[in-house]
Amino acid sequence: MISPDPGPAGMASGTPARPRSFAQVTRPPVRVYVLGGALLALAVTLLALAVPITTPASAAWVGLALLFLAAGGVLVLSRIRFGFDDAAVHIALVPVYRTSIPLDAVAAVDVVEYLTVGDARGRGVRRRTDRGRTLLYDAGPAIRLTTTDGRRFVVRSRYPGEAARALSEALR
C-alpha cells in the first residue's frame, strides 16, 4: 500500500511515497521437501551403518552420506526470493544463488503469464542466452526483469503482479 508523502509540517502533500522495500518468498512444491527429507533420512541411515565399521569402504559410505546430507539440506532450505530496497533489486535461490541489481540499472519489469520448465530448460537456476538467469521450481507465472545492458532475469513467483507493480512504483 502506498501512503502519502508527509510535507514539511507532517501534512500529506498528496504525492505517493516510493515504496521503501518489498520482499516476496516463493516456497518450493511439496515434492521438493519430500525429496530433501528422503535424502536426509538416507544420509542418517548411511552414517549410522558406516561409522561403526572401520574399513576403507566405510569411508566411501560416509562420504556418500555427507553428499546426501548436503543435497537434502539444500532442498529443504531452498526458497526463491525476489525483493528490492532503496538501492537494488535482490534475486535469490537460497542457499545456492544470489544477485543484486542496482535500481537505476533496471530498464523494465513485467509479468510472464506462464513460464514452463521447458522454457527454462530445467529447474533451479538456469543460465539464459542473454547473460541473465531464470529461477524456478515448477511451471507458473513469473516476473521478468530487464536491465539497461540487456540482461533478463525471470523469477517464478506465486504473485508476480504484486511484485511487478511494487517495483514499477519504486522505479518512477
Side-chain angles (χ1 to χ4, degrees):
M1 173 173 273
I2 300 172
S3 60
D5 185 26
M11 300 168 70
S13 66
T15 56
R18 279 180 46 174
R20 293 283 180 211
S21 66
F22 178 87
Q24 190 176 74
V25 176
T26 301
R27 300 194 188 291
V30 173
R31 66 180 176 271
V32 173
Y33 290 118
V34 170
L35 179 60
L39 287 173
L40 290 173
L42 183 59
V44 169
T45 304
L46 285 174
L47 284 173
L49 294 174
V51 168
I53 304 168
T54 56
T55 64
S58 68
W61 286 109
V62 169
L64 185 63
L66 293 176
L67 181 68
F68 287 157
L69 190 66
V74 165
L75 288 175
V76 168
L77 297 175
S78 70
R79 311 274 187 277
I80 294 176
R81 293 186 185 205
F82 177 86
F84 63 88
D85 54 26
D86 287 336
V89 176
H90 308 285
I91 299 170
L93 176 61
V94 178
V96 179
Y97 172 79
R98 296 177 199 271
T99 190
S100 293
I101 303 159
L103 278 181
D104 57 357
V106 176
V109 61
D110 60 331
V111 174
V112 176
E113 292 302 321
Y114 197 77
L115 176 70
T116 67
V117 175
D119 294 338
R121 297 184 314 275
R123 291 175 170 83
V125 179
R126 295 293 180 197
R127 220 173 249 177
R128 298 178 53 91
T129 55
D130 53 9
R131 297 184 355 250
R133 299 273 192 253
T134 299
L135 284 74
L136 81 156
Y137 290 117
D138 57 355
I143 303 157
R144 181 175 36 228
L145 184 105
T146 306
T147 62
T148 53
D149 63 357
R151 292 181 297 158
R152 283 193 191 181
F153 295 86
V154 181
V155 182
R156 170 73 169 92
S157 171
R158 301 269 185 249
Y159 307 103
E162 177 185 330
R165 265 189 309 282
L167 184 55
S168 293
E169 288 292 323
L171 293 174
R172 288 187 198 172

